[in-house]
Every structure is written in C-alpha cells, then in structure tokens.
Amino acid sequence: MLSFITGVLSTPAFILGIIAAIGLIALKKSGSDIIKGTLKTIFGFIMLQQGANIIVSSLVPFSQMFESAFKLTGVIAEDNAIAAAVQNVLGTETSLILVFGFIVNVILARITKWKYIFLTGHMMFSFAATMAIVFDQMGIHGWKAILLGSLIQGISSVLFPALAQPFVRKVTNNDSVGFGFWGSSLVWISGWIGGKLGNKEHSAENMNVPKQLDFLKEMSILMGIVMSIIYLVTSFFVDTKLMNELSGGQNIALFAIMQAFTFVVGILVLLQGVRMFLGELVPAFKGISEKLVPGAKPALDIPIFYSFAPTATTIGFLFALVGGLGATLISTMLPVVVLPSVIGLFFMGGAAGVFGNAMGGRRGAIIAGVVLGFSFQMIVALAYPIIDLSDYGISGLWFASTDAIIVALLIRLIGSLFGITI
Amino acid sequence: MFILTVCGMGFGTSLMLLMEIQDLGNKNGFTIDGEATDLSSAKGKNADLIVASSEIAQELENNDIPVVPIINLLDKNEIEEKVLPYITEYHTRGG
C-alpha cells in the first residue's frame, strides 16, 4: 500500500491530476466536473510525454546524420519537448516546483505592488522543468531543489511581467493584463531597438501583406516545410553507408521527409496534451488567484498582442526567420549549430513585430523581427554549454525561453560563487 | 450552449477567451460549455458558436457555424457586445 502511495506521488501525471482535483474542489465544482477535470489532466499529461517520445525518436537519427554530415552538433530550441522528456527522472520536482512556484507568485502578488499572476501554463511547466534540470545538474536534489526552484519561479513570475509592462502599455493602451511569457525581455528589447531605429509615422498596418502568405499562420504547415528542408539538406551530406543503415533500406529522401514530418507530429501530439491538461489547470489557478489577490492582473500568453497589429505580426515573424537563419549560419562556426526553431521564431518574432511597430512603425517592426530572430538563436548557441541534457538521453534539443536561460545562467553564476561548478 | 474558442496554438489566448465568455454567461444566468482549441483542430469540431481572434477568424468561415471575430482580445466590452447577443438568442430559442 505504501509503495502504491509513494508511487502515485512520484508519478507526475498523478501529481498534476491531484493538483487539478484540489483546485476544482476549492472552486466548489460539481462531482462530475472534478472527475472530468482530474482525468483529462492525467490523460493530457501522458499525451504530452508520448509526444515527447515521438520527437526524441525522430531526433535521434537526425542528430547522428547531422554529426556525420557537418562534424558539429545541431540543436533545435524547443522547451516543451525537453520538459516532457525529463519527466521520468525529474517529474516530481517539476510538478511540485510548478505548484509551489505558483503559490509564491500569489503571495508576492498579494504583498507587493506587482499584481501579476503568471497564467501561461505551458511556460510555467517548462520553467519548472528548467529549474529542476539546472539544480539537478548542480547536484541539488529533492526538497532543496523544490524549495529553491519554487522561490525562483515565483519571483520570476512577477518580475518579468513587471519589467515588460511599460512596453505592454504602449502596445495595448491598457494596463489590465501583463505579459506572461518567458521570452518577454527579448521581445520588448527587440521592439525597443526597432523603435529607436524606426519611424512611428509609417505604421505597418497601412501595408498589404499578400494573401498567399496566409498559410504561414498555420504553424504546423510551416514547421513541416522548414523541418523537411533541414532533414533533406542534411541527408545529402551524410555518408551513404550510415544513411542506408539509419533508413533501413528506405529511399533516403523519403526517409528524411518522413522523419521530419514525424517530428512535427510529435510536436502536435505534445501540444494537444498540453492543451488538454492546461484547459483544466489554468482555470483552477485563475479562480484561486482571483479569490486571494484583489486587483490581480493575469500575465498572459504572447498571442494576445497579435490582434493589435496583424500585419506587423506577419512582418515580425518573417524577419525573425531571416535573423534566425543569420544566427544559424554564424553558429556553424561555433561548437553547436542552432537550427531555425520555427515555434520560437514564429511566436516571439510576431510579438516583436507588434512591439516594434508600436514604437517605430514599419521599419521598427522589421528591425525588431531581425534583432529578435538573430539574438534568440545566438543566445542559445552561446549559452548551450551551461546545461548538459545528454545525461537525460536528450539529443538535438535545447532550451528556447530567453528569460529562463538568463535565470539559469544567473543560478549557475551564483552557484559557482559557492564552489558549485558543472 | 457549446462555444469553441480558437487561437493559433489553442492555449493561452483561446483559454482566456473561453473563461471570459463563461463569466459573461454566468453573469447573465446562462451556463456555457466550451473548449479552447487551435486553428487546425477547430475545423473538424462541432459547436453552436465559434469565437476567434480576428486574424484567424476568416480562416474558419467556411462552415455552418457562426464565427465571431474579436479584434481586441483584452477588451471585455467588445467580447460582451459581440458574443452576448448570440448567447441570448440561443437560449431564447430554447436551445
């Protein structure tokens, strides 16, 4: 019996299920809603892990291909996949940091003037996992890792939205919501630079973006195209013997495209899982915070900004892709090549375009996009040595959230003051 | 009444939109069921009403379900003005 209970408490899917149940009970939901919410959280979480398995399975042959072709390591910056993939080893730490980090966030919002409640669930999850990984690498485990991780997560949850708020006000003319996304600093800095170099008179919204670019609004389609190109080009440079071995006799081009599409499907499954468990957890978190913190401002996900300037969103994204490709080229001279990370470029680039446009018009949006795309991937290339993911059987992936990387870097620096090195 | 809220990724914005609409329903005495989803999954789903951010609303307009585009997702008044008539109409029809 005891082993069953400890087993449940060390299985992240069940921990999150219990958290959802507690939240729903606290909100006085009906029995049927509680059962539904709890099970959907558990299913969603398992789905997320399965998605991560698919992604990792398509990246393992790719990493081999890339290394053989270019004698370099190639990584794609994607947080959710990493967070999901480490759940078997660091699941308990991650889910407890997620919950206690939220509690610290609510307390800080209650007692300080920073009333932000961070509600972007997939980012809370990936940040918690990042904390678990960073402390694990520093040799800090169990309750100590959970305590430190929760404190840092709670502080970051009010600090980053507070830093972004002056810029959010400029974009939205509104002070009732915050920016809850771990790339916020890079987005507003890019927008600010775009503003300095741009001209506010010529808004991007007076331009017409061709209808034919509409398909770019579907991230999965674009990711399928970009990933196929990356896999295919890499396969041309791989030694034929190795390539035949990996593909098991299948036509090489077909194998490359299938693996690229499998990667995209993995992302889609993972996101479906995230959607399912967040649909239950976030309303519970929101309900609880509204009761405890008068005047709470929800800090929300990045797409809330897109509707303020849809054209600038597309421009920002396209130019982030340009900047990102530039960083990929330069990183070929570094120990690690950062491949274009469509999700990050898409979401952060779009927002950088909106911020750049608000502060510096059309030119501002273009510059903000380029700056964002370039620095987003260069930061990954430069920070890559600070966290080693190979211990967890992960290859070809690295962290994407700029804010989380900055925090991880600071933790590492403070750790080294106390003599804790990698 | 079952309302589908849609954004690019299906979490974050659409989830907030759904919670906002459910609050709005409660204030006016209606219970609203719903789901937050992404653009690709939304196309295969059935609902009484779809609410989406304006830049993706046009991509959903090829079916029998009415689509409400929301321009400013942070503006509660806009959401109320555009969505509440549909909710009231649905319930007065005895939906």
Side-chain angles (χ1 to χ4, degrees):
Chain A
M1 189 60 199
L2 191 66
S3 76
F4 176 78
I5 295 171
T6 53
V8 165
L9 290 178
S10 59
T11 309
F14 289 125
I15 299 180
L16 284 171
I18 293 168
I19 294 162
I22 295 172
L24 293 165
I25 293 168
L27 290 175
K28 302 199 178 72
K29 294 275 180 182
S30 68
S32 128
D33 276 354
I34 295 170
I35 294 171
K36 206 169 75 181
T38 309
L39 285 181
K40 275 176 91 174
T41 304
I42 295 173
F43 297 155
F45 198 81
I46 297 172
M47 203 190 273
L48 159 103
Q49 285 180 298
Q50 293 302 328
N53 288 342
I54 300 174
I55 295 167
V56 171
S57 79
S58 74
L59 277 176
V60 168
F62 178 73
S63 298
Q64 279 176 282
M65 281 158 62
F66 199 87
E67 270 189 65
S68 139
F70 307 115
K71 311 285 175 262
L72 284 162
T73 310
V75 293
I76 297 161
E78 218 298 301
D79 285 322
N80 288 298
I82 298 171
V86 298
Q87 290 313 299
N88 291 327
V89 246
L90 295 169
T92 313
E93 285 84 349
T94 304
S95 22
L96 293 175
I97 291 173
L98 174 72
V99 178
F100 292 123
F102 178 71
I103 294 173
V104 174
N105 179 182
V106 171
I107 295 171
L108 288 174
R110 170 90 214 198
I111 60 175
T112 69
K113 61 174 185 162
W114 294 338
K115 298 288 170 208
Y116 307 100
I117 306 283
F118 200 100
L119 284 176
T120 309
H122 61 296
M123 300 236 105
M124 292 159 78
F125 173 68
S126 69
F127 195 91
T130 309
M131 289 303 107
I133 294 168
V134 171
F135 286 116
D136 184 61
Q137 296 242 311
M138 292 166 77
I140 299 170
H141 309 283
W143 69 268
K144 283 183 198 159
I146 294 166
L147 178 73
L148 289 170
S150 309
L151 284 174
I152 295 169
Q153 175 140 12
I155 294 168
S156 305
S157 301
V158 295
L159 181 64
F160 283 98
L163 288 172
Q165 198 63 15
F167 300 90
V168 171
R169 274 196 295 266
K170 268 193 191 136
V171 172
T172 63
N173 294 318
N174 181 316
D175 201 22
S176 60
V177 293
F179 194 173
F181 188 93
W182 303 122
S184 59
S185 56
L186 195 58
V187 169
W188 67 254
I189 290 170
S190 304
W192 180 78
I193 295 174
K196 289 282 155 210
L197 302 173
N199 178 357
K200 219 175 163 177
E201 303 293 303
H202 303 285
S203 168
E205 296 315 301
N206 302 328
M207 293 166 65
N208 285 319
V209 169
K211 258 288 194 200
Q212 287 92 318
L213 289 175
D214 261 8
F215 73 98
L216 293 178
K217 286 178 188 160
E218 288 219 37
M219 188 231 17
S220 59
I221 309 298
L222 185 75
M223 193 156 62
I225 297 169
V226 172
M227 291 311 287
S228 303
I229 296 172
I230 293 177
Y231 272 70
L232 264 177
V233 170
T234 306
S235 75
F236 296 151
F237 293 94
V238 183
D239 171 54
T240 334
K241 192 164 149 270
L242 175 73
M243 214 44 233
N244 281 325
E245 213 173 282
L246 288 172
S247 70
Q250 198 180 9
N251 176 288
I252 288 169
L254 202 60
F255 171 78
I257 293 174
M258 269 308 284
Q259 292 296 314
F261 285 179
T262 307
F263 174 87
V264 178
V265 169
I267 297 269
L268 293 178
V269 172
L270 180 131
L271 293 178
Q272 191 59 40
V274 173
R275 217 165 275 141
M276 209 156 154
F277 85 83
L278 289 184
E280 305 305 323
L281 276 183
V282 172
F285 277 179
K286 184 169 183 260
I288 291 165
S289 71
E290 274 171 358
K291 283 193 181 147
L292 299 176
V293 186
K297 286 179 198 171
L300 303 179
D301 201 357
I302 208 162
I304 55 168
F305 299 111
Y306 299 164
S307 56
F308 289 97
T311 311
T313 305
T314 313
I315 292 175
F317 161 65
L318 287 174
F319 283 92
L321 202 58
V322 173
L325 286 170
T328 299
L329 281 180
I330 292 180
S331 68
T332 54
M333 289 173 252
L334 297 168
V336 66
V337 179
V338 183
L339 298 164
S341 308
V342 178
I343 294 190
L345 293 170
F346 186 86
F347 283 94
M348 289 159 70
V354 177
F355 278 61
N357 184 50
M359 289 178 257
R362 197 166 62 201
R363 203 190 315 148
I366 292 172
I367 294 167
V370 174
V371 170
L372 183 122
F374 184 80
S375 46
F376 164 63
Q377 291 195 180
M378 277 318 280
I379 289 169
V380 173
L382 297 173
Y384 182 77
I386 66 164
I387 304 171
D388 179 12
L389 290 170
S390 61
D391 292 358
Y392 312 104
I394 299 172
S395 59
L397 288 174
W398 211 69
F399 299 91
S401 302
T402 313
D403 298 353
I405 295 172
I406 295 170
V407 172
L409 203 59
L410 287 175
I411 296 172
R412 270 273 138 99
L413 281 174
I414 293 167
S416 66
L417 293 180
F418 290 94
I420 304 170
T421 46
I422 304 171
Chain B
M1 183 175 195
F2 190 91
I3 296 182
L4 204 60
T5 56
V6 189
C7 68
M9 284 287 261
F11 39 75
T13 320
S14 53
L15 195 54
M16 291 303 147
L17 200 51
L18 181 62
M19 287 194 276
E20 205 65 64
I21 293 170
Q22 283 175 329
D23 275 353
L24 181 66
N26 280 341
K27 269 182 220 146
N28 292 281
F30 306 121
T31 310
I32 290 161
D33 279 326
E35 195 184 336
T37 187
D38 66 305
L39 184 55
S40 335
S41 335
K43 286 177 181 158
K45 286 192 169 139
N46 209 353
D48 301 311
L49 183 68
I50 296 176
V51 183
S53 53
S54 54
E55 78 265 24
I56 62 169
Q58 50 185 356
E59 310 242 341
L60 290 159
E61 268 165 4
N62 303 326
N63 53 29
D64 311 330
I65 310 167
V67 180
V68 178
I70 301 291
I71 296 162
N72 182 351
L73 296 157
L74 307 177
D75 184 354
K76 289 181 185 188
N77 293 330
E78 185 191 344
I79 298 173
E80 179 163 355
E81 259 167 45
K82 288 185 175 170
V83 179
L84 194 57
Y86 284 94
I87 300 177
T88 324
E89 197 218 317
Y90 179 89
H91 285 88
T92 44
R93 264 191 294 138

